[in-house]
Amino acid sequence: MADTGNRAIRMLSGAWVAGSTTGNAGSSNNAVGTSATFYNPVAVRADLAGGVLYVADPGYSYIRMVSTSGSHSVTTLASGVYAYDIALYPEQQVMYAGGKLSIVTYTGNVSLLAGGGSSGADGGGSAAGLSITGVALDSLAGVLYATDTSIHRIRCITIAGVVTTVAGWSQGFVNGAGTLAAFNYPYGVALDAASGSLYVTDRANS
């Protein structure tokens, strides 16, 4: 887990994986385990086959890598990326939400997938308007679902960068189908592929 306030990556058992045990902040101290420092890690995803954790650390705009075995060495995958949440795509890519949706390859190359257009606009690539904070990947369908927080909607984004609105339209609290529903600053999202359900934290509706 990303323990944001303590600026660390931890295990549920309580063990410290990486980051200062005293909460010291740091922007680029790539080191081993607790000798490494983070600023405010907010999301972590595990590539267990590759033995790596990918961490979104937006305080200094980094995506960091932490080895899952041995001494838990910490390295920087990419800098200048402001990420609230991340998802791992099978084709060796980290997809991250920082308002827009962007891609970082496992070799550190950064590119825009979607976002930059008028707020709420559906469409392809930079013509779409996004302000997303949370992402959940459906790798079998080749799409991501995202919480578009500031306009209170749930968006679907294909791997080709085409954006559509799947739920929510205006701010409020309404249960209903698709755009008849209303959210109030939706933030986190998770996918249960087996049941075909998305779970969304609707922040301002508690």
Side-chain angles (χ1 to χ4, degrees):
M1 70 186 80
D3 188 352
T4 305
N6 283 315
R7 300 184 169 102
I9 308 302
R10 301 175 68 185
M11 297 176 65
L12 195 59
S13 64
W16 230 265
V17 175
S20 170
T21 57
T22 59
N24 290 334
S27 62
S28 60
N29 184 6
N30 293 325
V32 172
T34 57
S35 296
T37 55
F38 296 85
Y39 187 80
N40 63 334
V42 295
V44 59
R45 294 289 180 268
D47 175 9
L48 296 180
V52 178
L53 304 175
Y54 292 89
V55 180
D57 190 356
Y60 284 114
S61 301
Y62 288 125
I63 292 179
R64 315 282 292 281
M65 299 186 300
V66 183
S67 64
T68 59
S69 60
S71 55
H72 303 300
S73 61
V74 178
T75 56
T76 298
L77 174 65
S79 59
V81 292
Y82 192 81
Y84 296 111
D85 198 5
I86 53 179
L88 302 183
Y89 188 62
E91 300 300 325
Q92 293 191 329
Q93 295 174 337
V94 180
M95 313 187 90
Y96 70 91
K100 303 173 185 179
L101 184 67
S102 300
I103 298 172
V104 182
T105 68
Y106 284 6
T107 56
N109 295 319
V110 181
S111 59
L112 175 70
L113 182 65
S118 300
S119 177
D122 288 341
S126 59
L130 295 171
S131 58
I132 57 178
T133 53
V135 290
L137 174 68
D138 185 343
S139 58
L140 294 179
V143 299
L144 291 99
Y145 294 97
T147 49
D148 203 333
T149 302
S150 68
I151 61 168
H152 320 288
R153 300 177 192 176
I154 310 303
R155 315 293 291 277
C156 179
I157 307 158
T158 70
I159 300 304
V162 178
V163 178
T164 55
T165 299
V166 297
W169 193 257
S170 59
Q171 185 177 12
F173 182 79
V174 178
N175 290 325
T179 55
L180 297 178
F183 298 86
N184 196 356
Y185 293 100
Y187 197 84
V189 60
L191 173 69
D192 180 356
S195 69
S197 298
L198 289 174
Y199 295 90
V200 178
T201 54
D202 196 356
R203 179 175 260 186
N205 280 322
S206 304

